[in-house]
Amino acid sequence: MAATLRLADAKSGSRIAVAFPRRHDAPPHESASQEALARKLAGVLELDFIEDYRPGEYPPGGVYYVPSRTLVRTVSPQPAEQFIQGIRGDEDLFGGIVPHAFVATKAITHALLHPDAAAPEGWSHAFAHDAGPAVLLGITAFSIGDARLAGLRLLALGPVRIKPVRASGGRGQILAADRRQLDEALGRQDEDEIAQYGLVLEEHLQQVETYSVGQARVGGMTVSYAGTQSLTPDNSGLQVYGGSSLLCVRGGYEELLALPMDANWREAVRLARMYDVAAQRCYPGLFASRRNYDVARGRDARGRIETGVLEQSWRAGGASFAEACALEAFQNAPERSVVRAYTCERYGNEHNTPREAQLIYRGDDPETGFITKYGAVEPHGDPE
């Protein structure tokens, strides 16, 4: 387990791990998740974890960052963001850096309404071509007018899901089945937010199963995984993200695909890799030591089974603590090559933490209400 020190007590010249940057208005459960992940990764890397880190207070190159968001590399960063210039690669960061802020969102997943539609500087039209076979039917819009036209086009084929691109866990999404519902949904959107980051309109699937496919590189180790996400009712009854169960392998995607695996999981891995390669090709400057892709499989309005990548995550996310648990298990047992790991989020105060799991947060959070979060390597989850 990593030692926790105050910054003043850290040894000069030693490397440290920090949960930074943090979202300034983050609710307690989110801050606790980021800190628990940073502590776990500090243990894997055999670094001291520093709670009170501030940029500029430690030598450049001596910090391993576990940020709450995907970082944006700018030509002239603000003073508080200058630490990004010192990030050289996997050895400095659990997460990702993108060349433009919109690249970190689900906006890049779909094409624009037409080639001349409004789009931010740096938008890649080639990405929609390269990743098109890997995603569902959808359109990204950077204006309310384009969003309405996109919605009408998609409504001709069935219900449409309106997705704010910076929301997570399924929150903020609205389902529209006709023009009236589409107009009502668009009337609730922030036009300035759409102009800067975009809005996704996508075909709605029923009987959906969501897969998680990804990879994490930490301390010279690579873990690749495929798994499933679960939904759970939050304290208002809305179905939201409830956790991930991952089959993790030491190595890359080829090692993952060498395992016995359901055909649907194999398809999810194939599509996630296609999306990943397209992003690398079309957005130069993208770097990520942590990559996660949500892949949905469900039935469309015409009754056909469709599978596609919903979005990417190049930052610490809901499955990251499970990834860190797998990395820890591989480090502690070099002969081990496969584990199953999980994270779980449950609302209400009646849920207990399993004996094998590490509690991440349990309490009455002002944003979500009472929530319990935990994760672990499954005690009998080694497929070997």
Side-chain angles (χ1 to χ4, degrees):
M1 181 178 295
T4 301
L5 300 177
R6 301 289 293 176
L7 187 59
D9 297 326
K11 294 180 180 179
S12 177
S14 64
R15 298 197 79 222
I16 61 173
V18 299
F20 181 88
R22 302 185 188 223
R23 184 158 70 94
H24 75 277
D25 57 349
H29 79 92
E30 183 179 307
S31 296
S33 297
Q34 184 182 359
E35 186 167 307
L37 175 63
R39 288 177 183 273
K40 179 74 74 175
L41 293 172
V44 171
L45 292 166
E46 299 181 347
L47 303 179
D48 291 327
F49 173 75
I50 301 296
E51 290 182 312
D52 59 338
Y53 174 78
R54 296 292 183 274
E57 296 181 353
Y58 206 77
V63 182
Y64 182 81
Y65 298 96
V66 183
S68 63
R69 55 180 170 81
T70 307
L71 304 177
V72 182
R73 196 186 296 279
T74 58
V75 176
S76 300
Q78 298 297 316
E81 298 288 307
Q82 288 181 353
F83 74 93
I84 296 175
Q85 305 301 324
I87 295 175
R88 300 157 297 178
D90 298 352
E91 67 271 23
D92 297 324
L93 174 73
F94 185 84
I97 302 179
V98 295
H100 306 282
F102 71 85
V103 179
T105 76
K106 60 176 69 74
I108 69 169
T109 299
H110 297 294
L112 304 178
L113 186 65
H114 54 79
D116 296 325
E121 181 181 356
W123 180 264
S124 171
H125 293 280
F127 181 79
H129 175 269
D130 291 357
V135 305
L136 301 176
L137 183 64
I139 298 170
T140 294
F142 287 89
S143 73
I144 288 291
D146 285 350
R148 187 172 191 278
L149 290 174
L152 292 174
R153 181 181 296 180
L154 293 170
L155 277 173
L157 302 174
V160 177
R161 188 166 290 276
I162 293 93
K163 303 167 69 173
V165 302
R166 295 201 295 167
S168 61
R171 290 184 168 82
Q173 297 185 14
I174 303 173
L175 182 62
D178 55 38
R179 290 190 178 198
R180 180 185 60 81
Q181 292 180 354
L182 174 66
D183 288 339
E184 289 178 354
L186 295 180
R188 294 161 61 181
Q189 306 304 313
D190 184 318
E191 293 191 38
D192 291 336
E193 171 84 6
I194 292 174
Q196 183 172 0
Y197 295 102
L199 182 72
V200 164
L201 298 96
E202 189 174 76
E203 66 175 326
H204 171 66
L205 299 183
Q206 296 181 322
Q207 302 170 4
V208 174
E209 186 168 21
T210 304
Y211 301 90
S212 288
V213 178
Q215 195 170 86
R217 302 192 302 268
V218 174
M221 281 192 293
T222 298
V223 168
S224 300
Y225 60 84
T228 55
Q229 295 181 14
S230 63
L231 295 176
T232 190
D234 67 8
N235 288 307
S236 64
L238 179 68
Q239 290 290 315
V240 297
Y241 175 77
S244 299
S245 178
L246 308 178
L247 174 63
C248 306
V249 64
R250 186 196 298 267
Y253 290 122
E254 295 304 324
E255 284 77 11
L256 178 64
L257 290 170
L259 299 177
M261 190 179 296
D262 180 275
N264 295 337
W265 284 35
R266 289 187 179 278
E267 177 68 356
V269 174
R270 184 184 73 84
L271 297 179
R273 294 179 76 182
M274 183 184 300
Y275 189 109
D276 182 79
V277 169
Q280 290 288 327
R281 181 187 304 120
C282 298
Y283 288 104
L286 166 65
F287 157 77
S289 61
R290 192 268 176 172
R291 304 160 184 265
N292 176 272
Y293 301 94
D294 291 347
V295 184
R297 183 177 188 272
R299 195 174 298 277
D300 68 12
R302 292 153 288 179
R304 301 183 306 185
I305 297 296
E306 300 286 352
T307 305
V309 177
L310 298 176
E311 61 182 309
Q312 79 289 357
S313 176
W314 298 316
R315 62 170 179 83
S320 290
F321 195 79
E323 299 160 25
C325 288
L327 286 159
E328 181 182 60
F330 290 143
Q331 182 189 56
N332 292 338
E335 74 285 356
R336 201 173 188 183
S337 61
V338 184
V339 298
R340 293 185 184 273
Y342 70 92
T343 59
C344 186
E345 302 183 10
R346 292 293 182 266
Y347 296 82
N349 59 8
E350 68 274 16
H351 300 285
N352 297 316
T353 303
R355 180 175 300 178
E356 80 277 359
Q358 178 179 332
L359 179 65
I360 298 170
Y361 179 85
R362 179 176 170 81
D364 193 0
D365 188 277
E367 181 177 276
T368 65
F370 206 97
I371 183 173
T372 302
K373 304 172 77 169
Y374 54 87
V377 167
E378 295 184 11
H380 304 291
D382 193 335
E384 293 186 320

